[in-house]
Structure formats: structure tokens, C-alpha cells
Amino acid sequence: MARSGATLVEVGTTNRTHLTDYEGAVTDRTRLLLKVHRSNFQVTGFTAEVPAQEIAGVARARGAASLYDLGSGLLVDLSPWGLAGEPTVGEGLVSGVDAVAFSGDKLLGGPQAGILLGTRDAIAACRKDPLARAVRSDKFTLAALEATLVLYRDPERARVEIPVLRMLTEDVAEIRRRGAALQKYVGKDAELTEGESEVGGGSFPGAKLKTWLLAIHPQHLAPNILAEQLRRGQPPIIARIADDRVVLDARTIFPDELETVARAVRAALDA
Ligand SMILES: *Cc1c(COP(=O)(O)O)cnc(C)c1O
């Protein structure tokens, strides 16, 4: 934006923004109407916002372009798994904005990348700008992105094979079974308890998913020391501390990692 010389004009207020706020702010110097998804925080209570479709309409009527920054790059609807409120890329596109921007690595589950989809004219204009070369993707990123996107041809396959989607949609009974196996490995210093997972990755703020946690409570080690020993291990294990206990979320430990994690926990406990 700095390079383009554009001036950013805020419209509306923190909690409430209406279509008239956009209409009132547009002048004959307006080139772009931008909507940015809130991604990693919530505004609740007395709130209002304008759908992308209406913003696109104002832009079109006034000869400006429109852009919707979606953030997480969600390609499949996760509401059947209790995760709602995050716009999908498809919803962004059908809103009629000229372009949508989103991340390749958050909920899409691919490599770190910024992705722009839109009308032929909008994409051609972006391509033509010298900045396009500076942010040009390398072959490794493209190969990794392709390998991820290929899985989406079959949404069910994407759901089970893309780690982030698999973790978000896994059956809680399955998580419990894995947690129980982990508890058995680790033994008496650990207890399997019901808990909650947060989504993270700058998406679904406030959403809680039921999960099973391995809570580790050694007599001889303070939680922060144990957590540090886990981080310093080989491989490093990142745990969190809740209610003065070190907890590992079984949702985020895959079957082929169980033994490694169990061994690391025992090593940290016995150190
Ligand atoms: C995460 C995010 C970005 C940046 O995405 P990258 O992962 O850095 O490509 C941009 N806009 C919004 C709204 C985001 O949530």
C-alpha cells in the first residue's frame, strides 16, 4: 500500500459498520473497497458488518475494484463438525468481489503462501505490477501447494489426509482411544482427562472442541520445569500447562507418534 501511494480510509466503527458507511466514504478517487476477515478475534454484542456481496455491489456501482482478504483459506465447510463462522474461499468468490486473498497454510493446510483468486482482469493487473516479481513463488512452494490441492478433489480424502483438517474433524472417541494408549505407555504419573482444544492458526476464535488430554502430574517436578524438559528433548515436545499440570492434547498426536511422545515424556520424567 505504501508503495502504491494509496491512502487507507477506515469506514464504520469498531463494533458496527453499515453499507451507508461505505457509500458515504466513496469518492471519485476511490480505487478499491477492501474487506478484511477478522480471523483471530471476536467482536460480540452490539455488532453489525456488511457482507462482501454488498461491498462488491457498491464498488461496482462506483467504478472501484473490491478485494476480500479471507485469511485462513478454508476450502471445505466445517460446520458439520461444529465449526462455523469462517468464510470459505468459495463463499468469498461467489460474493462477486474482484479478488479474494487467503493463506496457503492456515486451514488450507498447504505451504506458507499468499494466494490471490479473482477475475481475469484483476489477476492480470496484479501480475503486471513489478511487485509481483518480488513476491513470486518458488517451485517448491508450488509443488507443495499442488500436492495439497490435489487432495481436495475428493473432500473426504482432504479431510482425513490433510493434518489440520484431520485434527479439527476427528471423532472424539478416536481421540480418547489414542489418549488411553498414551496414558498406558506413560503410566502412573499421567491421567487421561476430558478437556477442550482450541483451533488456533488465526481462525475460529473462541471455538472449543471436546478432546481428551493426558495430564502429567509428577510429585517431584514443577510443571514449567517438566514442560521445559519436554521442549529440550529430542524430538522436542511442545505441551501446555493448565491448572498447574502439563497437558498433551491427544487430538494433536498422530498414531505413529504415540510411542515417540510416550518415550519423550518418560525420559523427561525420569531425568
Ligand atoms: C493470516 C492472515 C493473513 C496472512 O496470511 P499468511 O499466512 O501470512 O499468508 C492475511 N490476512 C488475514 C485476514 C489473515 O488472517
Side-chain angles (χ1 to χ4, degrees):
M1 277 188 58
R3 188 185 158 281
S4 74
T7 308
L8 181 65
V9 178
E10 271 185 69
V11 300
T13 61
T14 306
N15 59 327
R16 289 171 72 79
T17 302
H18 300 283
L19 192 62
T20 50
D21 296 319
Y22 287 90
E23 288 168 337
V26 174
T27 71
D28 52 10
R29 296 178 60 211
T30 304
R31 288 288 168 272
L32 178 80
L33 267 62
L34 169 68
K35 181 177 175 67
V36 181
H37 178 55
R38 218 176 272 125
S39 286
N40 57 4
F41 66 98
Q42 278 175 318
V43 178
T44 58
F46 191 53
T47 63
E49 66 177 297
V50 185
Q53 192 179 358
E54 293 178 23
I55 295 173
V58 175
R60 216 173 299 120
R62 305 291 293 269
S66 53
L67 172 67
Y68 188 3
D69 181 358
L70 292 163
S72 68
L74 180 64
L75 292 184
V76 291
D77 177 16
L78 294 180
S79 56
W81 290 273
L83 292 167
E86 201 67 40
T88 65
V89 171
E91 285 163 4
L93 284 171
V94 299
S95 73
V97 291
D98 293 299
V100 297
F102 52 96
S103 173
D105 83 324
K106 290 177 176 168
L107 291 175
L108 195 148
Q112 174 67 43
I115 302 175
L116 204 53
L117 295 182
T119 63
R120 200 177 290 271
D121 286 353
I123 300 298
C126 295
R127 271 221 168 113
K128 217 170 64 200
D129 191 281
L131 194 59
R133 193 176 165 79
V135 298
R136 187 172 66 160
S137 174
D138 66 287
K139 295 189 193 72
F140 290 107
T141 301
L142 291 176
L145 189 59
E146 182 181 8
T148 308
L149 290 177
V150 157
L151 300 174
Y152 279 98
R153 289 218 171 114
D154 174 358
E156 181 52 20
R157 186 170 174 214
R159 188 180 71 76
V160 259
E161 291 192 24
I162 295 175
V164 64
L165 297 181
R166 176 167 159 177
M167 285 188 272
L168 289 177
T169 61
E170 192 176 29
D171 188 50
V172 74
E174 200 57 48
I175 298 173
R176 183 183 190 168
R177 264 193 286 282
R178 232 170 27 252
L182 190 60
Q183 193 281 330
K184 219 165 120 194
Y185 273 121
V186 175
K188 64 169 174 38
D189 291 313
E191 181 195 358
L192 190 65
T193 70
E194 224 172 339
E196 286 173 334
S197 312
E198 282 186 30
V199 178
S203 60
F204 295 111
K208 305 266 188 217
L209 298 167
K210 279 219 176 323
T211 194
W212 285 86
L213 304 169
L214 188 76
I216 313 164
H217 46 88
Q219 302 295 315
H220 62 291
L221 267 180
N224 58 327
I225 305 288
L226 176 60
E228 185 182 338
Q229 278 175 4
L230 285 170
R231 286 197 302 275
R232 286 173 181 272
Q234 202 49 258
I237 309 282
I238 312 293
R240 61 187 159 98
I241 297 175
D243 294 330
D244 259 349
R245 299 198 292 186
V246 172
V247 298
L248 291 168
D249 189 341
R251 177 189 295 281
T252 63
I253 304 169
F254 292 138
D256 62 349
E257 297 169 334
L258 271 184
E259 220 176 308
T260 310
V261 173
R263 219 172 275 152
V265 172
R266 276 291 10 139
L269 285 168
D270 298 338

